[in-house]
Amino acid sequence: GFGAPGIPFVLGSQDPGVLNDLRDNGYLSTSQSLTMPFQQARLENLGVRANIEPFQDFRIQLDFKKTTTANYQKIITQDSSSVRTGSYSVTYFTLPTAFSDGNSDVSTIFQRFEQNREVIMQRLMTANPNYDGEIRRYNLNSQDVLIPAFMAAYAGQDVNQVKLNPFPKIPLPNWRVDYNGLPKLFGSLGETFQQFALSHAYTSTYSVNNFTSSIQYGITGVGLDQNITNYPFASIPEDSVLVPQYVIQQVTITERFAPLIGINIRTKGRLSGRISYDTERSLALNLSNAQVTELTSKGVTVNFGFTKSKFTLPFRVKGETITLKNDLTFNFAMSLKDTKTIQRKIDEENTVTNGNLNFQFRPTVDYRVNERLNVQLYFARTVNDPRVTNSYKRTTTEFGTQVRFNLAQ
């Protein structure tokens, strides 16, 4: 009937009390031999996008995102076996430190993270009513100390004002900016270019990759009806050690400018091109060892191409000058990308664990003989120079001709 398990359940209710209703009405077995847990899953996606055009040809796109996944399980014959796991991510803002130093030897941001721990610990001991002052119930590498210290350092926030919650409630804006009005603004550009566009994009995301409710903390407040952003203070079990409600293994901040600056052009002479400079920074705080893994990437990409009609070959065939009847297309692609991974440890030396300098160069020439036949000449060279001593420099060169014949009608 409609009461098994009920209209609220059918409509998506995540009230953990439905378990008691199912058990009390005899829909679930209460045998002590039952080991299969009652399970619930929940996914929440919040996305807000705003498109702004303050004046013609100038467009701004703002994005706010938040994603929460959660899984709850409980063996119905045991009152102490409730477990909630999940992940959490939200758009963030780390621009104040985006261009700060990040060399392999010294990082002022990481040093700030180390110093922030003492301030955060003092704030927690003052704010947490479970702290009685007799025993130092936090240490500098406690989970609830490390995460706010990390967020304050790499987001460029005041350590005395940063929230102590490892689950930020409000998503902050990411954006993309495009401007295509230069040919109209400058008449000389309009005489040469059909398009001269500038672009810029910024994304930053803070993520809790995995969290699990602590059995020591207790089974209350871990149901899916409880908002994960309402993060309580650590409690005191029998051994007088403060325990957080959720155990977190790792938090990450991923920041990307794609591109930091990009230029797209197309001339009236059938020349097109794109130049972009991209940067990326990925920061992972491992709570088990209080280390920060920092991956940085910077790259320049250049693409140019033009189409030439009635192209005259620069050499003679049987003494005659040959002029091609169809269009000849030339494309040039080049990229240079520098990546580096640094393991930063508290009170220890920083170590470069991975990275390389990658260079790619690929020009091609395409000629369409007719509707079915296409001929391409290509050359490609890739150079990969590692930053670590356990890898070797690699160079790859390719060149040749490709002939494509289309059998389709």
Side-chain angles (χ1 to χ4, degrees):
F2 287 106
I7 295 300
F9 179 84
V10 173
L11 297 179
S13 170
Q14 294 289 346
D15 182 5
V18 71
L19 170 59
N20 298 327
D21 295 337
L22 294 172
R23 180 180 55 192
D24 295 343
N25 289 320
Y27 302 136
L28 295 178
S29 171
T30 58
S31 169
Q32 295 296 320
S33 301
L34 181 66
T35 58
M36 180 178 293
F38 166 81
Q39 299 183 54
Q40 289 176 293
R42 186 172 186 173
L43 169 64
E44 294 180 2
N45 279 318
L46 171 66
V48 178
R49 173 171 293 179
N51 291 294
I52 306 170
E53 189 170 352
F55 51 87
Q56 189 176 9
D57 297 321
F58 186 79
R59 298 179 179 86
I60 302 173
Q61 177 180 296
L62 299 177
D63 286 290
F64 305 79
K65 296 180 181 179
K66 182 165 71 172
T67 301
T68 306
T69 64
N71 295 278
Y72 173 84
Q73 66 178 31
K74 174 182 175 62
I75 297 178
I76 63 175
T77 58
Q78 302 175 20
D79 293 333
S80 60
S81 59
S82 297
V83 177
R84 178 174 175 176
T85 61
S87 62
Y88 183 84
S89 68
V90 62
T91 51
Y92 206 50
F93 186 76
T94 49
L95 188 61
T97 65
F99 303 102
S100 301
D101 65 297
N103 60 66
S104 57
D105 297 324
V106 179
S107 170
T108 56
I109 307 176
F110 186 76
Q111 291 177 339
R112 194 178 307 137
F113 160 64
E114 293 179 287
Q115 298 164 2
N116 286 348
R117 295 177 301 151
E118 181 67 38
V119 178
I120 296 296
M121 186 175 66
Q122 294 298 328
R123 287 181 58 190
L124 285 168
M125 289 190 296
T126 301
N128 190 345
N130 296 322
Y131 175 75
D132 61 10
E134 295 181 0
I135 302 176
R136 171 168 282 194
R137 306 180 189 280
Y138 287 104
N139 62 57
L140 292 176
N141 291 336
S142 295
Q143 170 185 298
D144 287 354
V145 173
L146 289 172
I147 296 177
F150 173 75
M151 297 168 68
Y154 286 94
Q157 300 178 26
D158 184 349
V159 67
N160 294 294
Q161 301 296 326
V162 67
K163 301 293 184 182
L164 300 176
N165 190 340
F167 300 95
K169 295 183 178 181
I170 302 175
L172 300 178
N174 293 170
W175 61 80
R176 180 177 178 85
V177 180
D178 293 283
Y179 180 57
N180 194 26
L182 287 177
K184 297 179 182 178
L185 190 62
F186 300 99
S188 58
L189 288 178
E191 296 175 0
T192 305
F193 295 94
Q194 290 182 335
Q195 179 187 26
F196 198 114
L198 303 177
S199 59
H200 162 77
Y202 173 81
T203 59
S204 179
T205 304
Y206 169 87
S207 301
V208 178
N209 296 331
N210 180 271
F211 63 83
T212 305
S213 58
S214 172
I215 297 177
Q216 289 180 293
Y217 189 91
I219 63 173
T220 59
V222 299
L224 297 192
D225 58 332
Q226 302 294 319
N227 193 333
I228 189 67
T229 60
N230 296 329
Y231 185 76
F233 284 111
S235 70
I236 308 174
E238 295 180 358
D239 58 3
S240 297
V241 176
L242 285 171
V243 175
Q245 184 178 32
Y246 293 99
V247 177
I248 299 172
Q249 299 297 327
Q250 184 185 76
V251 299
T252 60
I253 294 175
T254 302
E255 181 183 60
R256 183 179 296 111
F257 292 91
L260 177 61
I261 181 67
I263 302 174
N264 287 272
I265 62 171
R266 186 172 65 251
T267 70
K268 296 180 179 180
R270 304 177 75 181
L271 170 68
S272 62
R274 181 176 66 90
I275 302 174
S276 68
Y277 177 65
D278 302 344
T279 69
E280 182 176 352
R281 179 175 62 157
S282 179
L283 307 158
L285 171 63
N286 298 294
L287 279 306
S288 60
N289 54 18
Q291 295 182 8
V292 174
T293 303
E294 178 181 315
L295 187 150
T296 58
S297 173
K298 300 177 182 179
V300 178
T301 302
V302 179
N303 288 279
F304 279 101
F306 69 87
T307 301
K308 178 70 174 177
S309 299
K310 297 181 180 180
F311 179 78
T312 301
L313 296 179
F315 52 85
R316 294 177 178 272
V317 178
K318 295 183 180 180
E320 297 182 1
T321 300
I322 304 298
T323 299
L324 301 178
K325 297 180 181 180
N326 299 324
D327 291 347
L328 185 72
T329 301
F330 173 81
N331 287 290
F332 170 85
M334 183 183 71
S335 67
L336 180 64
K337 187 174 183 179
D338 185 10
T339 60
K340 179 171 57 177
T341 301
I342 303 175
Q343 193 74 32
R344 301 196 184 277
K345 306 175 183 179
I346 295 175
D347 299 326
E348 295 184 33
E349 293 184 0
N350 301 318
T351 306
V352 177
T353 59
N354 203 353
N356 60 74
L357 182 64
N358 182 271
F359 172 76
Q360 296 184 20
F361 174 73
R362 184 181 177 89
T364 61
V365 178
D366 290 86
Y367 180 65
R368 188 177 182 183
V369 181
N370 52 48
E371 294 182 354
R372 294 180 179 273
L373 183 62
N374 186 84
V375 179
Q376 181 188 82
L377 303 177
Y378 69 91
F379 176 86
R381 185 173 179 84
T382 302
V383 180
N384 196 73
D385 192 2
R387 288 185 170 275
V388 290
T389 57
N390 58 356
S391 297
Y392 299 95
K393 182 176 180 180
R394 300 187 306 273
T395 303
T396 304
T397 303
E398 304 174 45
F399 60 92
T401 303
Q402 291 183 348
V403 180
R404 297 175 181 169
F405 188 77
N406 185 9
L407 298 176
Q409 292 291 338

